[in-house]
Amino acid sequence: MTIAAEPSGELLVGQLRQGDLLRIAGGRATRVAGGIGVFHVAVADARTYVAGRDGAVYRVDGSSLARLTPPMDASSVAVDAGGNLYVTLYVGWVKKIAPDGAVTTIAGDGTEGYTGDGGPATAAKIFHPRSLAIGRDGALYVADTENRRIRRIDLVTGRITTFGGDVGITVSLAAGPDGSIYSADVVRDGAGGGVTRTTPNGETTRIVSSTLVNGVAVAGDGTVYVNEWEAKRIQRLDASTRRLEPIARG
């Protein structure tokens, strides 16, 4: 499963195997659209976009999914204020799809590695990127998964930098309303697993430790939600107690 928060605070849940895109509101699930398995779901300007299991990007139009790109091995999608789509490709690319359909590379050279900080993102190496998000500052944040880092791409200058510290084997990113970037990481070799928060000044702190978490979403009021795929459960983080409270179960 994958999750995203809508402006209203409701949650969208994408299902890789079942196919339906669901909305969780008031403790109940309703169908939004279906027909494909969903790798990733993103919300921008009250519009919903998904990276499908077939590697294409779709937009939710009513109760249907309108395909915006051909299959291109997209594993996640983000959308900027100009309507440009950004997708991660596991082999080591971040691509941009303009509203007219033109596709360009904005980061990576398609090979494994960890280079390029301070220079053009197109000359950098990233290692199996798995997720991305547009930050409150308008920059693109990329989960450089196998390097256990978040990379920041300035979409004006094209410059790439590393943002914050070690975030583990990250598979999901979400941008918070205060400019923080939240990262969900999975267990590797018995270590890691949970959610980290990196503040705008680059301070990274683990806020959830869990071997079950594989997704994170942040609502407009700053509420943090986590997805536990194998447990088929979505939980809310209580900001005062730091405890997870279930809000939906499969």
Side-chain angles (χ1 to χ4, degrees):
M1 295 190 297
T2 177
I3 57 175
E6 295 184 293
S8 62
E10 298 170 344
L11 286 180
L12 292 171
V13 181
Q15 303 179 90
L16 181 60
R17 295 173 182 166
Q18 299 292 337
D20 283 347
L21 180 66
L22 304 176
R23 176 176 288 114
I24 305 295
R28 301 187 64 180
T30 57
R31 182 182 182 275
V32 176
I36 63 168
V38 175
F39 270 128
H40 182 254
V41 58
V43 178
D45 293 328
R47 301 300 298 270
T48 301
Y49 301 82
V50 302
R53 188 175 183 178
D54 60 356
V57 176
Y58 296 78
R59 183 183 62 236
V60 176
D61 287 344
S63 60
S64 301
L65 293 171
R67 197 169 79 173
L68 303 179
T69 74
M72 56 187 301
D73 197 31
S75 57
S76 63
V77 59
V79 188
D80 69 15
N84 298 293
L85 304 175
Y86 300 88
V87 299
T88 51
L89 277 63
Y90 183 74
V91 293
W93 306 98
V94 179
K95 300 282 187 177
K96 172 184 173 181
I97 302 98
D100 64 2
V103 179
T104 55
T105 298
I106 68 160
D109 63 3
T111 61
E112 300 172 352
Y114 181 35
T115 64
D117 274 355
T122 50
K125 293 183 185 297
I126 50 182
F127 197 167
H128 295 339
R130 292 285 297 274
S131 187
L132 42 72
I134 298 288
R136 190 173 180 83
D137 59 356
L140 183 68
Y141 293 84
V142 180
D144 193 351
T145 301
E146 294 296 332
N147 286 320
R148 300 172 179 261
R149 292 294 189 273
I150 299 171
R151 308 292 285 275
R152 179 185 184 275
I153 301 172
D154 187 313
L155 294 177
V156 176
T157 66
R159 180 173 173 265
I160 190 171
T161 53
T162 294
F163 179 67
D166 188 336
V167 291
I169 305 297
T170 292
V171 295
S172 176
L173 293 181
D178 67 344
S180 293
I181 301 296
Y182 294 78
S183 168
D185 63 299
V186 296
V187 176
R188 173 73 63 79
D189 298 327
V195 176
T196 61
R197 172 177 178 253
T198 302
T199 62
N201 65 4
E203 181 181 352
T204 299
T205 305
R206 184 163 295 280
I207 60 172
V208 174
S209 293
S210 171
T211 61
L212 301 176
V213 170
N214 77 314
V216 61
V218 184
D221 63 359
T223 301
V224 177
Y225 298 89
V226 301
N227 175 51
E228 296 179 340
W229 179 41
E230 291 188 1
K232 296 180 172 59
R233 182 168 56 197
I234 298 171
Q235 306 217 64
R236 178 177 53 230
L237 179 65
D238 186 305
S240 60
T241 65
R242 295 289 183 178
R243 296 176 64 89
L244 293 176
E245 303 171 339
I247 64 166
R249 298 177 185 271

